[in-house]
Amino acid sequence: MARLFGTDGVRGTANKDITAELALDLSVAAAHVLAEVGEFNGHRPVAVVGRDPRASGEFLAAATGAGLASAGVDVRDAGVLPTPAIAYLVAQQGADLGAMLSASHNPMPDNGIKFFARGGQKLADDLEDRIEARLREDWQRPLGRDVGRIQPMPDGADRYVEHLLSVLPHRLDGLHIVLDTAHGAASAVAPRVFAEAGARVTQIGGSPDGLNINDDYGSTHVEHLQEAVVELGADLGLAFDGDADRCLAVDATGALVDGDQIMAILALAMKERGVLRGDTLVATVMSNLGMVQALEAAGITVVQTGVGDRYVLEAMKAGGYALGGEQSGHVVLLDHATTGDGELTGLMLASRVAETGRSLADLASVMKHFPQVLINVKDVDKAALDANERVAEAVRLAEAELGERGRVLLRKSGTEPVVRVMVEAEDGDEASLVAARLVDVVKAELALQPTAAALD
């Protein structure tokens, strides 16, 4: 059977894949596993639970709280807040675990549940596996005074806003910023924190009704934000996803500023302030070569990992680094957050604009975007990719042809019979030609063989 936990918790269609029964069972199992590994240390445990505004989050959060309370955990219900806010509150409150109901940038019918351990840390793979193995087991239920209590946590947003403002290196006075909150979890918090930081704020995508989260707004649909920034003559715009763990930006001309450009700007700012530990940024192999070259020219090392914020975070912790992230806008500032935080990222970016007096477009020009061509080659034997010498030789020839003017990356999909071919080059036409040749080789060498049944 496929593993229930993915790279970011358990996710699927609400009330089909992600049911109230599953949320309750997962919560009970999580409480049992964390108790066994000593997270509770013999005391009465406390959990912080939050959700994004999607309608299904209402019954799923109730089921999650019920499961935890039935296992003897006292629950603090923080209501609708961004994912990084729940992670922060788990640490700030000294809670033993946290749970967030959200499907991030996914459409409204989806939902998911992710758990945080003490300190607001993501659960390790082995703990998730143990939780999955304990689902629906027989267990001795606490009785009387030992059952958990569920209480609201009305000051959760206040605590999170206070934290964000406390780490801001420079106020935002004089900036006009448009915020696209995706009708999501940032809708109430983001305008408040940016205004209190000194900015003049215009909000779009800020009317969540439980059904419209990520619907044509947010970091996956930046067109409205681009139009609003230009029409209003704003200094910049920021787009968050449904649970506000990602942030993309738009400069005053309406041009998109992606996660690579944001990380380049923040890395240079942090190096200047002496807080970029090891003068190193952690990014994935999908980050643009232009970012890597620009930062290396500035004396900053770029450590690259596999695709996924989990791998970025692991490398950051292993190396003791302070900054990492993905091209998608999922940026981790480990001195101030345990996970990607879109509002924190946006504040730091806007702070740099205010501090330097330079436009966002000017700051982003530190790196040149190399054109990227990404082609998904479907219906191939991805397992044979690494051992196929003809594919390897084609890659070597392509790399020799591009030299320092580009790069090649072939990687297997984690869930589909797909090989992803990515080519970067200074010239977009050259990248397309090289990618097309590689795709032809992959198709020829890794074509799935027909089964005996099909031949019959």
Side-chain angles (χ1 to χ4, degrees):
M1 292 180 62
R3 187 173 185 265
L4 185 62
F5 282 90
T7 57
D8 201 22
V10 181
R11 193 176 295 185
T13 303
N15 221 24
K16 177 185 176 185
D17 307 310
I18 309 300
T19 63
E21 294 86 349
L22 178 61
L24 190 148
D25 289 341
L26 280 169
S27 302
V28 170
H32 291 164
V33 168
L34 291 175
E36 285 180 356
V37 299
E39 287 289 314
F40 301 163
N41 294 321
H43 64 265
R44 187 179 179 96
V46 175
V48 178
V49 175
R51 63 180 180 89
D52 71 25
R54 60 189 84 211
S56 58
E58 297 168 5
F59 75 79
L60 289 172
T64 299
L68 291 170
S70 72
V73 178
D74 287 334
V75 176
R76 303 290 179 262
D77 184 356
V80 175
L81 280 178
T83 290
I86 300 303
Y88 168 73
L89 290 170
V90 170
Q92 194 265 342
Q93 293 285 288
D96 301 283
L97 74 157
M100 178 68 186
L101 286 304
S102 176
S104 191
H105 58 282
N106 285 26
M108 183 278 294
D110 289 350
N111 215 322
I113 179 170
K114 68 180 78 174
F115 294 103
F116 295 102
R118 179 180 286 276
Q121 305 292 330
K122 288 190 174 183
L123 297 188
D125 286 348
D126 65 309
L127 288 180
E128 291 181 340
D129 290 339
R130 290 176 65 172
I131 291 170
E132 191 168 332
R134 299 284 295 274
L135 286 177
R136 290 175 289 279
E137 68 176 359
D138 291 331
W139 56 289
Q140 186 172 352
R141 299 168 184 270
L143 303 173
R145 295 177 179 271
D146 292 332
V147 300
R149 306 293 297 274
I150 302 177
Q151 297 178 331
M153 188 180 184
D155 62 346
D158 295 338
R159 293 175 182 272
Y160 178 55
V161 168
E162 182 179 352
H163 161 65
L164 292 176
L165 293 173
S166 72
V167 302
L168 190 64
H170 194 280
R171 285 184 55 82
L172 312 184
D173 300 282
L175 292 183
H176 180 191
I177 302 176
V178 182
L179 302 177
D180 180 351
T181 51
H183 298 304
S187 293
V189 178
R192 173 183 167 189
V193 71
F194 278 85
E196 291 188 21
R200 178 160 67 95
V201 173
T202 300
Q203 183 180 17
I204 63 174
S207 303
D209 61 10
L211 306 178
N212 59 359
I213 188 170
N214 298 319
D215 187 8
D216 207 28
Y217 282 86
S219 60
T220 54
H221 303 280
V222 298
E223 298 83 6
H224 292 303
L225 179 62
Q226 291 171 311
E227 293 171 2
V229 168
V230 173
E231 288 177 4
L232 295 170
D235 295 291
L236 68 148
L238 299 169
F240 308 108
D241 62 343
D243 70 336
D245 66 351
R246 299 186 189 191
C247 174
L248 293 178
V250 169
D251 69 26
T253 71
L256 178 67
V257 177
D258 69 11
D260 285 339
Q261 293 165 295
I262 292 171
M263 287 190 291
I265 294 168
L266 296 186
L268 292 169
M270 291 172 66
K271 185 176 189 292
E272 183 181 296
R273 297 200 306 272
V275 295
L276 186 68
R277 292 198 296 276
D279 285 343
T280 297
L281 167 74
V282 180
T284 76
V285 292
M286 294 303 293
S287 275
N288 197 275
L289 181 60
M291 181 197 76
V292 176
Q293 291 185 351
L295 291 183
E296 288 180 346
I300 295 173
T301 300
V302 179
V303 172
Q304 292 187 279
T305 73
V307 177
D309 66 286
R310 174 184 294 267
Y311 305 113
V312 171
L313 194 55
E314 287 175 356
M316 291 177 69
K317 290 179 178 178
Y321 304 127
L323 178 65
E326 299 181 280
Q327 192 179 60
S328 62
H330 194 279
V331 177
V332 182
L333 291 139
L334 206 50
D335 286 338
H336 310 303
T338 59
T339 186
D341 189 328
E343 286 162 293
L344 176 62
T345 300
L347 283 167
M348 291 295 184
L349 183 65
S351 177
R352 185 60 172 170
V353 173
E355 178 185 16
T356 60
R358 297 166 61 187
S359 69
L360 179 56
D362 185 32
L363 291 172
S365 69
V366 66
M367 63 167 278
K368 173 186 175 183
H369 253 118
F370 279 44
Q372 281 185 338
V373 176
L374 176 63
I375 302 174
N376 292 325
V377 188
K378 300 180 179 179
D379 300 321
V380 292
D381 182 7
K382 65 181 182 181
L385 173 65
D386 295 336
N388 191 286
E389 182 55 36
R390 290 187 179 178
V391 173
E393 177 62 19
V395 170
R396 285 193 291 270
L397 290 173
E399 289 175 335
E401 177 183 343
L402 293 172
E404 294 185 357
R405 296 177 293 104
R407 68 183 178 113
V408 173
L409 176 66
L410 270 63
R411 65 184 186 93
K412 297 170 282 190
S413 167
T415 57
E416 304 170 273
V418 168
V419 171
R420 308 194 197 282
V421 175
M422 193 275 283
V423 178
E424 253 177 4
E426 290 181 344
D427 180 81
D429 291 337
E430 183 179 24
S432 296
L433 288 172
V434 172
R437 290 204 303 268
L438 288 171
V439 166
D440 288 342
V441 175
V442 170
K443 285 180 177 178
E445 292 295 318
L446 304 183
L448 288 171
Q449 299 302 314
T451 63
L455 291 172
D456 291 342

